[in-house]
Amino acid sequence: MSIMESKVVFIGAGNMAEAIVSGMVDGSFCAPEKIIMTDVRPERLADLAREYGVSTSTDNRVVKDAEIVVLAVKPQAMTDVLKGIAPVLRKETLVISIAAGIPAARIEAELGGNHRVVRVMPNMPALVGQGASAIAAGANADEADIEVAETILGCVGLTVRVKESDLDAVTALSGSGPAYVFYLLEGMLAAADKMGLDKETARKLALKTVEGAARLMEDSGEEADVLRVKVTSKGGTTEAAIRSLDEAGVKEAVIQALIAAQKRSIKLSR
Ligand SMILES: NC(=O)c1ccc[n+]([C@@H]2O[C@H](COP(=O)([O-])OP(=O)(O)OC[C@H]3O[C@@H](n4cnc5c(N)ncnc54)[C@H](OP(=O)(O)O)[C@@H]3O)[C@@H](O)[C@H]2O)c1
């Protein structure tokens, strides 16, 4: 069955679910009347129904008629949610989880059967259609199930396939990744302020610099270090800046930061 004809239920109508639904509706991948969003907050649901024309419910048991269920609650809420839907969820329903750190095997076990589960690690730029999502199949999911997840997440950006065991690394790289870029921007903009640049001008220049650097690396196919050397002339301003970063051990700190995020993801998933 195509996604167009499928009834898709999103459990947890937070930021990520809204981003994905917005992309699905915009891209005409799914008619709004085929989408049901559930949440514990009726006022949130009313806003989403008004904005996207989707159906809503405060009762997660609406999954009983669904072909696809997207689990989009925080990991801490997952056990309660799974307990609530397990008695009514049909065996044929595909379950897609975007929750960080919850193994497919745990979802399958808590649903009490052999459900097809696909895990996805999206990231925050999905809110503006520029997300990066990694998709991993659980033990019972097949090629068609992964393609369904790719179609849904493809509405809000790039998708790649990974092994489930790689999802902790993906969480550290792209799941948490936007925060590292914001952190760098905090420093760049604080410096711009110190140097007396007008806030709006600095913001525009810094954002275009991040976007442009990413685009240049993508389009040129060059490695980051090669491009860095290209923009660093001997005895110039960039060289002074990079030397300062090297002296402060910034590259090693970034490596350690991602390893810390991966370790945390592994710990949370236990
Ligand atoms: N945001 C990111 O950058 C990001 C990146 C990668 C993965 N993820 C994953 O995406 C998932 C959702 O994240 P989010 O940022 O969208 O979270 P969120 O904004 O907190 O959304 C979760 C929603 O679920 C609601 N909820 C809580 N318990 C529920 C229940 N029993 N039944 C139905 N709805 C319930 C919450 O209501 P209350 O607020 O009232 O509890 C909230 O509206 C998480 O598992 C997270 O790990 C997020």
Side-chain angles (χ1 to χ4, degrees), residues 5 8 23 44 92 123 131 139 156 169 175 182 217:
E5 297 153 26
V8 188
R44 167 79 179 150
E92 310 75 60
N123 70 4
V156 287
F182 298 138
M217 185 162 162

Side-chain angles (χ1 to χ4, degrees), residues 141-162:
D142 60 19
E143 173 66 24
D145 299 329
I146 300 174
E147 284 173 11
V148 168
E150 283 174 336
T151 304
I152 291 178
L153 274 299
C155 296
V156 287
L158 169 89
T159 63
V160 297
R161 295 183 186 195
V162 297

